[in-house]
């Protein structure tokens, strides 16, 4: 896009499945240079030696805090997909960042841009429609129903409708087979389909007099986090401090 | 399509909502002539006077048997969408038809060709896929969940799979919110969505390793029975005796 | 929603098809009172006599300017779906409003909230995906392909991508049947389906590595403008001056 | 399903990508035993030594005829996904089979059951609807538009409609952007979408007064041939002689 020098990128957890996919994605981007990769047993100093500007961390809750302390301490930006952050951990990261105010850390539970956008759009649209329901569809090996994303989506929808003073979706059902109308999450109906051949999919259906709006997200393979990670890498230098969730980077 | 003389068609219940739509559809078809219409208080003899070949009956369970006795007795074919037929009534119709073996009567609960075809296709495909689930979506004023059509579709699927020795759809769910996985009809999961702005819709989802097949039917207004009724009118002369359900007329 | 006194609403063009639907929708809303209806030949003074706060105008380009001059002149807010506004007409309305700064006028080409939202979401999402295409599906009596809404949607997408420096959607097609890849609107592929049984539908498909996002809008009947009109009626008092398009009222 | 002895299966081209997937699928099936695998350089006699009942051949047009001559000559059934068969080759296979009338050979261009079924259903439904169009959606690296499957589907639809005397789909388009209405294949409109994130998908849309029927097939990865191959392996002993295409094995 620009003719600026490529961003110097490092990857932590580089030999893991996700790490390898990120290395490949960074390699394929002409505006990014993969200058250092680190996995268990490798020295963190490689990042400093390679003058790394941004490090992507998809590692493990046990090591991610040490990683961040090192990176922030050396003024290296971090884009983090590792899980396990509670408010206490986030406060610790904030305290480290206070010492180097130009450094940025992005911690996000979901880097799939399509998933993040569909949640946001569902939330924005929710108050304009009489009815809203969520259908999530996954491979049959999934243990929980509904999915975490569907659960979170329903919560966001419910909160947006409550804030706008919108009542519950109309429903005249008087004779129901057990479970036919799905699960209720904060008053929003959620339906979980499990089907061989599927990966991870979600539909938010919104309806009012004479029209419906459907927001559908399909994850067809596990590389769907890559574009969101690259977006984080490209933008992090312009957003110092701690950011939680990819949303603020999307400037919607 | 052919240059034969138009078929002489009559309509019973002609002033009702459905009856009016059928009159309009017959009027619009160049191979059909609307020659007589009858409603409450009008004499059935109009059909005989007008040399009617086929009468369409969308009336009421209380009067339909009298109607059929008259029509069959006068050798007039009948295409019937009125409900309320049990085995005893069907046997009575058969006994009347025995006396005029060239006359045909078609009694069908559903004339929407798309609905009939989707049930048939779902039944045919069911045994080739590891997984199958049904989603039905209707306006929020519907009282029953699942819909009668979805219930019947699930039964047909279950029977086809049982006959082929196919086991239940795989499902690793261990943590479920009440109702998330839908209702079970003969082992097939059925999900009922109720949404303002919708009319009547159904999806059968079938999945196996790496691929899915979806059969979707959308009824967008209440005239969707018309093409099936006209098909019945055109074919009934070639199918003497009693036919129950539109399927046999489709020659699949 | 609130316990405030109902808004006093009038309808211009009240005997037309659209006007009747709006009267019915206002009647059905507990927070709105239908206090005056006017059609050709009726005196505009009825609105003043009835202390009307907001008038809805779905009339004709020939009379809408006279209507607005009267309404604004009497400090009555207006929600306008009549077409035919160019920059000159808008400027005239602005000049009238300058004299009564508390009065609001909303003029919108499309009151279907779902349509307005899908265009907005498509525009917002466009820059995050490698690929984007538009499919619009309509009844077969439509004369133009693509639809005006699809054309406008493609333009908004193209502009958003250009602004963000995103290149064209990837496409390795080397052997193409004429027309297979659709029409190009500012570099965005648009496909027009015409099918009996459909009304008015549109899908925006966005895709990147491993995931897709689909924004679908279905208009199932012609009352789909009603919720947007009521939204305008409820909000107009809080938004003095001229507003063009429903978007600003949605506070996205 | 049954308690009979497992079928003894061999795989030709076992070290190729497809061959490996088939070996894995056979291994996973409790009613099949993988008893011999052969690739370039391995002796065909392994199949005889292992008392193989059925061999799956996904190899190359250059070697497949030699493979089949050997297999049929030894009374081993064959299930063949290798391409390059013309009428002359098929006749040669038939002549070999004439000498061992109990042996079966299945040669199919497409083993994805969902794809085969959707073509069949589209063909069966085509004559009952006023309108039909085909949308195919693929990854953006595809060179041809429309896809071969969409082209073949449109041909089957056109033939079925012609045979039933159904006229062209109605279309009132008078103002069209070049390509908006898609490509025409034997009078059927076909639209090709190319989108990052997609794999291989197809929708057949059928519509008539007030209702539509949609048949959608999604191929989410390249193992979608496996269930069809296993079906062939299980059924081939009961179908001696040459069968071309998977359809007859589906008993629709």
């Amino acid at each position: 896009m620009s003719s600026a020098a490529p961003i110097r990128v490092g990857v932590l957890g580089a030999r893991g499945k996700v790490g390898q996919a990120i290395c490949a994605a960074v390699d394929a981007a002409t505006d990014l240079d993969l200058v250092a990769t680190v996995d268990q047993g490798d020295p963190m100093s490689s990042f400093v030696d390679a003058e790394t500007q941004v490090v992507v961390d998809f590692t493990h809750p046990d090591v991610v805090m040490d990683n961040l302390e090192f990176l922030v301490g050396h003024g290296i930006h971090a884009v983090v997909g590792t899980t396990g952050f509670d408010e206490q951990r986030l406060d610790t990261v904030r305290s480290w960042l206070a010492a180097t105010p130009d450094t940025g850390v992005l911690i996000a539970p979901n880097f799939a841009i399509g998933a993040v956008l569909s949640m946001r759009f569902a939330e924005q649209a929710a108050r304009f429609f009489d009815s809203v329901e969520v259908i999530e569809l996954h491979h049959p090996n999934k243990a929980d129903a509904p999915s975490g994303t569907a659960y979170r989506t329903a919560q966001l929808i419910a909160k947006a409708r409550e804030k706008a003073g919108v009542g519950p979706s109309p429903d005249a059902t008087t004779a129901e087979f057990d479970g036919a109308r799905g699960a209720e999450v904060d008053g929003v109906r959620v339906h979980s389909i499990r089907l061989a051949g599927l990966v991870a999919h979600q539909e938010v259906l919104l309806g009012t007099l004479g029209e419906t709006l459907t927001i559908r997200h399909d994850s067809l393979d596990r590389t769907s986090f890559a574009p969101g990670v690259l977006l984080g890498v490209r933008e992090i230098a312009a957003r110092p401090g701690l950011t939680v969730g990819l949303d603020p980077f999307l400037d919607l």
Side-chain angles (χ1 to χ4, degrees), chain A residues 42-57:
Chain A
D42 303 332
M44 294 286 283
S45 56
S46 311
F47 292 131
V48 181
D49 299 345
E51 294 177 37
T52 311
Q53 295 171 284
V54 185
V55 165
V56 179
D57 182 311

Side-chain angles (χ1 to χ4, degrees), chain A residues 95-251:
Chain A
S95 71
W96 292 332
L97 283 163
T100 57
D102 291 343
T103 307
V105 172
L106 166 65
I107 298 174
N110 194 339
F111 276 97
I113 290 177
V116 173
L117 287 175
S118 20
M119 273 190 273
R120 171 62 68 98
F121 293 160
E123 193 184 1
Q124 287 184 308
R127 72 183 189 278
F128 299 113
F129 291 86
D130 294 331
S131 303
V132 55
E133 303 206 359
V134 179
I135 306 176
E136 54 92 348
L137 314 95
H138 283 83
H139 58 86
N141 300 320
K142 190 169 180 58
D144 52 323
S147 69
T149 301
Y151 185 81
R152 179 88 186 114
T153 305
Q155 284 186 319
L156 292 171
I157 289 167
K159 204 178 292 181
R161 286 168 72 88
E162 196 195 353
K163 200 178 141 195
V166 181
S169 300
D171 183 356
T173 309
T174 52
E176 181 192 355
F177 270 58
D178 248 21
R181 292 283 295 112
E184 232 179 312
V185 175
D186 294 356
V188 176
R189 297 283 178 170
V190 181
H191 310 267
S192 299
I193 281 73
R194 297 292 171 266
L195 204 78
L198 290 181
V199 186
H201 318 258
Q202 180 171 301
E203 272 189 15
V204 178
L205 290 87
L206 305 120
T208 186
L209 197 60
E211 61 168 344
T212 61
L213 176 68
T214 306
I215 300 163
R216 179 172 177 120
H217 178 243
D218 294 272
S219 260
L220 296 190
D221 72 41
R222 292 157 196 232
T223 57
S224 62
F225 52 78
V229 169
L230 297 202
L231 178 76
V233 166
R234 288 178 178 119
E235 299 281 323
I236 187 73
R239 305 187 191 244
L242 177 64
T243 305
V244 179
L246 191 61
D247 302 46
F249 277 50
L250 300 183
D251 285 332

